[in-house]
Amino acid sequence: MKQHPRVLVVEDEPAIAELVAVNLRHGGFQPVCAGDAEQAQRELDAVLPDAILLDWMLPGQSGLALARKWRASERTRAIPILMLTARGDEPDKVAGLDAGADDYITKPFSTQELLARIRAVLRRRAPEQDGHALQIGELSLDPQAHRARWRGEPLKLGPTEFRLLNYLMRHPERVHSRSQLLDRVWGDHVFIEERTVDVHVKRLREALGPAGAMVETVRGAGYRFAAQPAVAPRGN
């Protein structure tokens, strides 16, 4: 029997949580609801979900703080997080993405949009068809083991940053527009803004440290992965 994807819904308003849960069940998902940060953590400790719908405004610890906490944990780092919030201004969206969210859903939202976004982040989480390991300079990536290393040291990458690096390393020295990256890395960007690419590139560069210089901005065109950038010398 096929297992339905498990979705943890962290929402403090019972009516909204129940509405989301009903729609998730109808859409082929297995929802688990939590009304606050403490209950959400207990659910995560018990069973890891396939995705998390996380409300921004929660009693006690905010959704942003939870996203940062779960992204920093080895056990929960790879779980896709979708922020669910009434805050729709661009600075708020950027803050949510910077906190570790993979996508951002603004209330009110349609059922079809919600289900489509969840399916999209789950597709992104799926492994690449071409799973052979890559080595460019002193940067290596192994999709099968989901590991990246710089000069032998492991790098801590979120799931979207890992997929972005995987794609860029497979196509070095090419210039990729934001829309092309959305197509190739996100897979289905009907509801995703191009600004999202900039946020994830910034997070990828930060995670790469000195190797972040390999991800170059081509003004007016997009991004390029440089095989021989001017990175910091060994020991710096």
Side-chain angles (χ1 to χ4, degrees), residues 35 79 99 105 127 186 209 213 220:
I79 302 174
I105 307 175
W186 276 255

Side-chain angles (χ1 to χ4, degrees), residues 107-121:
K107 301 175 184 176
F109 51 84
S110 72
T111 299
Q112 292 305 313
E113 178 182 357
L114 174 66
L115 297 177
R117 285 178 181 251
I118 295 173
R119 287 192 291 264
V121 296

Side-chain angles (χ1 to χ4, degrees), residues 27 29 42 68 82 109 122 126 145 163 174 185 190-191 210 228:
F29 297 97
R42 287 199 301 269
R68 293 191 186 99
L82 300 91
F109 51 84
L122 291 177
R163 286 177 59 84
R174 296 185 191 175
V185 177
V190 174
F191 302 112
Q228 295 183 326

